[in-house]
Amino acid sequence: MNRLLRVVLLILPLPALGLPQAEPVPGGIAILPLAAGSSDRAPQVSFNGVRVLVVREGGQWQAVVGLPLDTPAGEYSVRVQQGSKAQTLPFQVRDKAYATQHLTLKDKRKVEPTAEDLVRIQHETAEIKAALAHWSEAASVETTFTLPVDGRSSSSFGLRRYFNGQPRKPHSGLDIAATQGTPVAAPAAGTVISTGDYFFNGNTVFIDHGQGLVTMYCHLLRIDVQPGQQLGHGEALGTVGMSGRATGPHLHWGVSLNQAMVDPALFLAPTTPHPSAPAADIE
């Protein structure tokens, strides 16, 4: 269980792109070093049967594992495959208690959808899951982000949410309130997977950053990109709006890592100015 797979690059290592902050909690990230060794290829790592991001940093391979919000505290392991050899690497997940948020929506359909709405939602849910499960091979992946929009935090990640007194799924992203029409920029280089107008999320853009790292941008007023379009770090993708289920103009920014929604704040550099304290007034 405690043996680490040993790997090494045959070619010169790529420039360091940084790592997200390690926080092995539900909705967080576990970073597992894979010690240097004799292989010329990166290992394939999987968690719960899903491929995991593996990057070269600090002179060795690192597995960057996204942990779903419903992950109980305890011991887990990843499967590390190098050629014909497979090993397991254990790690611990700590518990974390998230705050509760109560929101009131005037549009009751956004809380209790009609039968027709539910048909639409079911179709859209499949589309969204497919986008967030997107995988593309990439030799290097930028994992240190900048904020996609200037504004204040209106709802933090992981909040246990109640809409009009009814419990709903925990908040799976970071909400940043800003004036309608404020530009939204890609926090790192990537390729647009898809775009759409969804019942809950409104106008939405999905960006592929490589190896199962996908970001999403919801409630946009305007979408300015097309599927397949490559975006540079800081390039505009749309503008802040309040489409879908929203009580005011803001950006819902989500990050999916190996198909797990994780806290976007963990991808921000420690020197990045964070949005001000949450006001708990916007979905």
Side-chain angles (χ1 to χ4, degrees):
M1 289 283 286
N2 292 320
R3 295 168 60 192
L4 299 181
L5 186 69
R6 298 182 174 276
V7 295
V8 69
L9 281 174
L10 185 62
I11 60 174
L12 291 175
L14 294 165
L17 297 178
L19 289 170
Q21 302 170 51
E23 188 176 1
V25 299
I29 298 171
I31 297 179
L32 310 177
L34 307 173
S38 60
S39 175
D40 61 347
R41 292 185 178 182
Q44 286 192 9
V45 180
S46 60
F47 177 58
N48 290 337
V50 179
R51 284 279 300 274
V52 164
L53 170 65
V54 176
V55 296
R56 184 76 171 177
E57 177 68 17
Q60 64 185 142
W61 295 112
Q62 310 271 353
V64 184
V65 187
L67 305 171
L69 265 168
D70 60 358
T71 304
E75 182 172 300
Y76 295 84
S77 65
V78 294
R79 185 177 188 273
V80 185
Q81 182 81 37
Q82 183 68 50
S84 61
K85 297 181 180 179
Q87 302 182 42
T88 56
L89 179 62
F91 65 97
Q92 291 286 332
V93 174
R94 305 189 307 267
D95 194 16
K96 181 173 182 176
Y98 289 98
T100 298
Q101 182 184 45
H102 291 263
L103 295 168
T104 300
L105 276 71
K106 294 180 181 178
D107 184 356
K108 295 184 178 180
R109 278 183 59 196
K110 298 300 182 181
V111 180
E112 300 178 5
T114 66
E116 183 178 354
D117 292 333
L118 291 173
V119 172
R120 174 186 173 185
I121 291 167
Q122 184 177 23
H123 174 74
E124 293 178 349
T125 298
E127 283 189 6
I128 292 168
K129 284 184 176 180
L132 296 175
H134 184 85
W135 176 276
S136 66
E137 297 292 345
S140 62
V141 178
E142 188 174 1
T143 55
T144 300
F145 292 168
T146 54
L147 283 168
V149 67
D150 290 329
R152 63 177 177 81
S153 174
S154 56
S155 290
S156 58
F157 177 86
L159 289 171
R160 307 299 172 177
R161 312 190 86 178
Y162 291 79
F163 289 103
N164 297 358
Q166 299 185 32
R168 291 295 185 266
K169 291 181 179 179
H171 192 225
S172 60
L174 174 65
D175 284 354
I176 305 173
T179 303
Q180 185 157 282
T182 302
V184 177
T191 303
V192 178
I193 301 169
S194 62
T195 65
D197 179 9
Y198 302 112
F199 184 83
F200 290 125
N201 294 345
N203 293 323
T204 301
V205 172
F206 299 90
I207 298 179
D208 167 33
H209 301 280
Q211 293 195 52
L213 178 58
V214 176
T215 54
M216 65 184 297
Y217 310 82
C218 305
H219 309 304
L220 299 173
L221 172 67
R222 191 180 72 239
I223 294 174
D224 295 331
V225 294
Q226 299 291 330
Q229 182 175 339
Q230 294 185 350
L231 296 175
H233 192 155
E235 189 170 349
L237 59 88
T239 58
V240 170
M242 53 182 296
S243 55
R245 184 169 66 183
T247 59
H250 73 288
L251 173 71
H252 172 96
W253 178 33
V255 176
S256 177
L257 183 61
N258 52 268
Q259 302 182 34
M261 301 306 297
V262 298
D263 188 353
L266 297 176
F267 288 84
L268 297 173
T271 56
T272 300
H274 288 217
S276 58
D281 60 350
I282 295 177
E283 198 282 322

